[in-house]
Amino acid sequence: MSEVNRGSRVGGWTRFVTARPRLSLLAALVITALAVFAGSGVGDRMGSGGWEDPAASSTYATKALEREFPASQPNLLLLVDAGGNGVDDPAVAAEARRLTERLAAEDGVVGVGSYWQTRAPALRAEDGGEALIAARIVGTEKEAGETLERIAPEFRGTQGSLDVSVGGPVAVRHEMQAIIQEDLLRAELIALPVTLVLLVMVFGSAIAALLPLGIGIVAILGTNAVLRGITEITDVSVFAQNLTTALGLGLAVDYALFIVRRFREELAEGVDVRDAVGTTLRTAGRTVLFSALTVAVSLAAMMVFPQYFLRSFAYAGIAVVLLAAAAALILLPAALMLLGHRVNSLDLRRLFGKGRKKPVPGDGTADGTSGGWGRTAALVMRRAPLFAVATATGLVLLGLPFLGVKFGTADDRQLPSSAEARVVQEDIRSGFPGSPGGGLEVLGEGGATAAEYADYRDRVAALPDVLRVDGPVVSGDHAYFTVLPRGEAVDQNTQRLVRELRAEPAAFDTSVTGTAAVLVDSKDAIGDRLPLAAGIIIVVTLLLVFLLTGSVLIPIQAVALNALSLTAMFGAVVWVFQDGHLSGFLGFTPTGDIETTLPVLMFCVAFGLSMDYGVFLISRIKEEYDRGGDHERSVIFGLQRTGGLITAAAVILAVVMVAIGTSRVTNTMMLGLGIALAVVMDAMVVRSLLVPAVMKLTGRATWWAPGPLRRFHDRFGVSEGGSHPAALAGGTDGTGGSDGAVSGAGERDKVGV
C-alpha cells in the first residue's frame, strides 16, 4: 500500500488527537493538577465498613437501637487495667468512676456505662484485673473518627493508678483506615520504581518506559478526584483506593505497552510519525478500547450488590479503567506525535548489548511462527488432548480447597497484632466471660406486658445455642434483649441461632442484630444478587467477544477458560488465608473464614483482567485467520505475537498487586496476592497452554457462526481495516498482539478511530 493510501486512512479521531498535541498535553497537565487538588484528602472521607446490607433487618434493628437505646450499641470501649489491686479495690473504683464521668461529659459521646456503675459480669475480666467502660460515639463514620481522634489522647495511657487502652468497633475501623492509607503509600513507593525498571527492560528506551508510568499516574489521580466527588453523594470504602492504584498502574501499562510498541514498529518500517500514530490508533488503539469495555463490564457488575464495600470497587474500577483508556487514546498519541523517533531515546540496552537491537518480546522469524512462543504453541497443539486435560485437571485440583470455604465477617484480627484496637479486642475475647463482642440484640417494638417479655426471654434462654439472656431493657413501646451465644461470634451455630431468634414467636414485633445477624443478612443479599451479577458479566462478555470474532464458540471458550483460570486464586485464598497455611511467613492471623464479599470482588476484578489479556490474544489470532484461513497457523502466529508482551504486562501487573499485598491488613493482603496469582496463572498457563490446546481440538469449527449471526457481525462487528502493508502481504509486524480485532479479511473499517 502506498504512503498516500496510508495517510488517507487517518481517521477523524486521529486528526483530533494529533492536530494540536502540545495543547492536548497542556490541557491534560492542567486537568491533572486540578485532579490533585480535587482528590486531596479523599482517604479521610472514606469508610472502613460497608459489609452490611442497608435494607436488611439487622441494619434496621441497629439504627433503631442506636436511636432508642444508645447504651445498647457501644462502639467505644476503654479497657481499664487495675494493675495488682484488682478492679474491685475502692481506690481503683473511685478513679474508674471519675474516668467514666469524664467520658460521659465529652461531646458526641452517649450511653456511657462501666462495670463500676452496673456491676455487669460481662464487663469484668474473669481474673478481676481488668474491666470495661463502654460508650457510643454518635454520627457518621467520619464524624465518629474525628471524635475518636479528639478524645482518645485524653483517655489513653496512665490515668492515676489505672492504665487505659482504647478499643471497640470505632477504634478498629479508624485504625484500619489509617493503616490502609499508610500501606497504600508504601505500596506505591514500591510499585512505581519496580514498574519503571521492568518497563525499561521491556522497551529498552527510558523515554518509552516513562510513557506508561505517566498514563498510570494520570489515571490514579483522576480516579481519586472522581472518588472524592462520589463521597459527597454516598459512602465509599477506603479499600477502593488499593484497587485504584493497582488497576491504574496495571492497565495503563497494558494499554500503553501495546500502543507504544506498535508505534515503534511502524516507525521502524519507515512510516512517518503522523501515519504511524494513525495506524497505531486503528489497530492497537481499537483493541485497547475494546479491552477496556470488557474490564469495565466485569467491575460494573458489583453495582448490583447493596453493600457499599462492593459498590465502592465498582466506582473506583470503572473510573480508573475508563481514565486509563482515555489517557492511552488521547494523551499518549499526542506525546508520540511530539516525540516521534525520539521515543527510542536513552536506549539503555546499549549499556549491555553494545547497541545491538534487541528482538521485540514475542517476535519470531519472518513467518511469525517459529519463535519461542510459536514453538510452544506448536508443541501444545501436537499434543492437544494431553495438554487440555492435564492443564484443566491441574487448575481444578488447585481450586478444590475452595469447596471447604467458610464465610465470615471482618473483625479486629484484620489488623496487625501490635495495633492497640486489636490488643484490646484480644484481651476481651480471651479474658472476659460470655464472648461480649459476639452478643445478639433482639429489638422488641409495639409494647408488651412484663409477663409477655418474661415469657419470650424464657423461651429464648431455652434455645440450645444460647448461653444467657439479659434484659429486657424497656423504654416506652420499645425494648431489647441481649442474647449471648454459646459459640463464637460468627460460627455456624451462632448464625443458626440468628434464624431461630427470627422465627421465635412473640407478642410483639422483633428484629435481630449483632455481628452474626449482619453476616447472615450479607450472605443472603449476595446470594440473591449473585446470579444477576454473573449474568451481566457472562452475557455482555459473550456479546463483546462475538463482536470481536464473529464466532459462536470463541466467546463460550473465553468465558469458560477465564473462569477456569481463577480456580487457583480461589483455592489459594482458602488454603492460605482461611486455613492459615503460610500465615507465619506472611504475618497475618487466620480466622478460619473468609470475609463474605471478598470472593465476589476478587472474581469480578480477576475475570476482567483475564479478559483484558484474552482480547489481545484472540484479536491477533483472528487477524491472522482472516488473512490466510489457516486455523492452526493462526493460533501459533497469535501466541507468538502476543505471548511475550502479555507475559510482560502480566508480570508488571502482578508486581503492582504484590506491592498492594504487602499490606498489614489481611483483607488487602488477600486481595493483592490473590489477584497477582490469578493474573500470572492466566497469562502463563491458560493463554500459553489451555487456549491453543482447546482451539486445536475445536479446529475450524472455532470460527463457525449461523447465517443470521454472521450477518449481524458483518454489520456491527469490529474490524481493523487492514491498513498495514505487511498485513495485506501476510508478513509480520512485530507488534506483540497490539493489532487488535479483525473481521472480514480486512476489507472494511467499520469503527473510525
Side-chain angles (χ1 to χ4, degrees):
M1 183 180 290
S2 69
E3 292 301 316
V4 173
N5 288 337
R6 288 177 63 88
S8 68
R9 294 187 61 80
V10 173
W13 182 253
T14 302
R15 288 192 294 272
F16 172 76
V17 299
T18 61
R20 295 179 177 83
R22 288 183 177 83
L23 181 60
S24 298
L25 293 178
L26 178 61
L29 182 63
V30 172
I31 293 173
T32 303
L34 292 175
V36 172
F37 174 76
S40 62
V42 62
D44 296 332
R45 299 185 60 83
M46 292 179 165
S48 53
W51 292 283
E52 68 279 356
D53 176 5
S57 170
S58 58
T59 305
Y60 168 80
T62 297
K63 292 180 178 179
L65 285 169
E66 180 180 349
R67 181 181 66 251
E68 302 293 337
F69 304 98
S72 70
Q73 296 281 290
N75 57 9
L76 174 66
L77 298 174
L78 300 185
L79 179 66
V80 179
D81 186 344
N85 297 324
V87 297
D88 293 315
D89 180 84
V92 169
E95 186 70 42
R97 290 191 185 96
R98 286 193 292 271
L99 189 67
T100 304
E101 292 169 359
R102 282 175 50 202
L103 182 61
E106 294 286 347
D107 291 337
V109 179
V110 299
V112 179
S114 71
Y115 164 72
W116 296 274
Q117 291 175 321
T118 66
R119 295 291 171 176
L123 298 179
R124 180 183 183 275
E126 293 175 335
D127 64 4
E130 296 173 321
L132 293 172
I133 300 174
R136 180 164 191 84
I137 299 179
V138 297
T140 63
E141 283 188 19
K142 181 176 183 295
E143 293 167 345
E146 291 173 347
T147 301
L148 180 69
E149 285 185 342
R150 174 173 54 83
I151 68 174
E154 301 296 324
F155 292 89
R156 178 185 291 119
T158 302
Q159 303 288 329
S161 62
L162 311 178
D163 186 62
V164 180
S165 301
V166 179
V170 69
V172 170
R173 287 198 304 267
H174 188 70
E175 198 156 0
M176 186 179 297
Q177 187 171 359
I179 290 175
I180 286 173
Q181 292 187 56
E182 293 172 4
D183 291 347
L184 181 61
L185 177 60
R186 187 183 69 250
E188 291 172 343
L189 294 176
I190 294 172
L192 287 172
V194 174
T195 299
L196 180 59
V197 170
L198 292 174
L199 286 170
V200 169
M201 293 173 62
V202 172
F203 283 116
S205 164
I207 296 297
L210 286 170
L211 294 174
L213 211 57
I215 296 300
I217 291 172
V218 169
I220 292 170
L221 294 176
T223 302
N224 283 338
V226 172
L227 292 179
R228 175 63 174 79
I230 294 175
T231 60
E232 297 288 343
I233 304 171
T234 187
D235 293 320
V236 179
S237 172
V238 69
F239 288 93
Q241 282 191 298
N242 295 288
L243 186 69
T244 297
T245 296
L247 290 186
L249 283 177
L251 292 177
V253 167
D254 284 357
Y255 299 157
L257 189 67
F258 288 103
I259 287 176
V260 173
R261 184 52 62 96
R262 179 58 190 259
F263 176 74
R264 296 175 75 191
E265 290 297 324
E266 291 292 320
L267 293 182
E269 293 185 6
V271 179
D272 67 51
V273 172
R274 183 177 294 275
D275 286 342
V277 171
T279 301
T280 298
L281 284 176
R282 285 195 305 275
T283 54
R286 186 166 300 162
T287 305
V288 163
L289 179 61
F290 197 90
S291 180
L293 291 176
T294 62
V295 178
V297 166
S298 292
L299 297 172
M302 287 185 284
M303 290 289 292
V304 307
F305 297 101
Q307 294 93 336
Y308 86 72
F309 175 80
L310 288 174
R311 297 172 70 90
S312 298
F313 285 93
Y315 305 146
I318 294 171
V320 77
V321 169
L322 296 182
L323 286 171
L329 295 176
I330 300 174
L331 304 184
L332 190 54
L336 294 176
M337 277 291 296
L338 294 177
L339 287 172
H341 290 275
R342 287 172 298 187
V343 73
N344 297 316
S345 300
L346 297 180
D347 191 343
L348 301 183
R349 295 176 302 206
R350 298 175 184 275
L351 299 176
F352 307 100
K354 297 181 181 180
R356 180 174 57 86
K357 183 179 179 181
K358 182 179 178 181
V360 175
D363 285 353
T365 58
D367 67 356
T369 62
S370 54
W373 289 101
R375 288 191 295 271
T376 298
L379 172 63
V380 170
M381 296 181 79
R382 283 197 299 271
R383 301 287 187 271
L386 174 63
F387 277 97
V389 172
T391 305
T393 301
L395 291 172
V396 170
L397 290 175
L398 289 174
L400 287 180
F402 193 71
L403 296 178
V405 66
K406 298 176 182 177
F407 295 110
T409 188
D411 60 21
D412 58 280
R413 289 169 291 181
Q414 295 283 316
L415 296 171
S417 58
S418 60
E420 181 187 24
R422 175 174 172 176
V423 171
V424 170
Q425 297 303 123
E426 291 280 11
D427 280 357
I428 294 172
R429 187 179 293 113
S430 61
F432 284 71
S435 184
L440 299 171
E441 285 80 32
V442 180
L443 172 68
E445 296 180 287
T449 65
E452 289 171 330
Y453 283 136
D455 175 66
Y456 178 79
R457 181 189 59 214
D458 293 342
R459 283 187 285 111
V460 169
L463 295 174
D465 293 314
V466 173
L467 176 66
R468 188 178 77 245
V469 180
D470 295 331
V473 177
V474 181
S475 175
D477 290 339
H478 295 79
Y480 80 91
F481 303 81
T482 300
V483 181
L484 296 181
R486 294 185 182 277
E488 294 294 327
V490 294
D491 66 13
Q492 293 300 314
N493 292 336
T494 306
Q495 292 180 53
R496 182 174 63 246
L497 176 60
V498 171
R499 300 191 187 278
E500 291 173 349
L501 289 173
R502 288 173 172 172
E504 187 68 30
F508 44 89
D509 296 330
T510 62
S511 51
V512 182
T513 188
T515 305
V518 171
L519 174 59
V520 168
D521 290 337
S522 180
K523 289 167 63 176
D524 289 345
I526 290 175
D528 289 344
R529 293 163 177 80
L530 193 58
L532 175 60
I536 291 172
I537 293 174
I538 292 172
V539 170
V540 178
T541 298
L542 291 174
L543 176 61
L544 290 174
V545 178
F546 172 76
L547 291 175
L548 176 69
T549 64
S551 162
V552 169
L553 191 57
I554 289 179
I556 298 173
Q557 289 179 357
V559 171
L561 298 186
N562 274 14
L564 191 59
S565 73
L566 307 184
T567 54
M569 175 185 71
F570 285 123
V573 161
V574 171
W575 190 78
V576 174
F577 291 95
Q578 175 180 295
D579 299 340
H581 299 98
L582 304 181
S583 59
F585 174 73
L586 294 175
F588 69 91
T589 301
T591 60
D593 53 46
I594 301 296
E595 204 285 315
T596 311
T597 59
L598 257 294
V600 176
L601 167 63
M602 296 175 75
F603 174 82
C604 291
V605 174
F607 188 91
L609 293 174
S610 296
M611 280 305 304
D612 187 46
Y613 300 133
V615 164
F616 287 112
L617 175 58
I618 291 171
S619 64
R620 197 66 178 93
I621 293 173
K622 171 65 174 172
E623 178 186 3
E624 182 62 18
Y625 181 75
D626 282 343
R627 178 187 297 141
D630 186 327
H631 174 68
E632 290 190 25
R633 184 183 184 281
S634 300
V635 176
I636 296 171
F637 187 95
L639 187 61
Q640 174 59 36
R641 291 304 187 185
T642 62
L645 289 186
I646 285 178
T647 300
V651 168
I652 292 172
L653 180 56
V655 166
V656 176
M657 295 307 306
V658 168
I660 297 295
T662 62
S663 174
R664 293 166 291 169
V665 176
T666 306
N667 274 356
T668 305
M669 182 189 299
M670 186 191 312
L671 176 67
L673 298 183
I675 293 179
L677 176 62
V679 167
V680 171
M681 292 295 293
D682 181 75
M684 297 186 176
V685 177
V686 174
R687 303 296 157 205
S688 303
L689 302 177
L690 198 53
V691 168
V694 170
M695 295 191 81
K696 166 66 175 180
L697 294 175
T698 55
R700 292 180 63 88
T702 301
W703 308 101
W704 176 83
L709 288 180
R710 187 179 299 113
R711 289 189 291 274
F712 178 86
H713 180 265
D714 288 341
R715 182 172 181 181
F716 299 106
V718 180
S719 70
E720 289 298 334
S723 63
H724 198 295
L728 296 177
T732 66
D733 56 18
T735 62
S738 61
D739 294 62
V742 180
S743 181
E747 77 276 13
R748 57 194 180 277
D749 185 16
K750 289 180 287 204
V751 183
V753 177

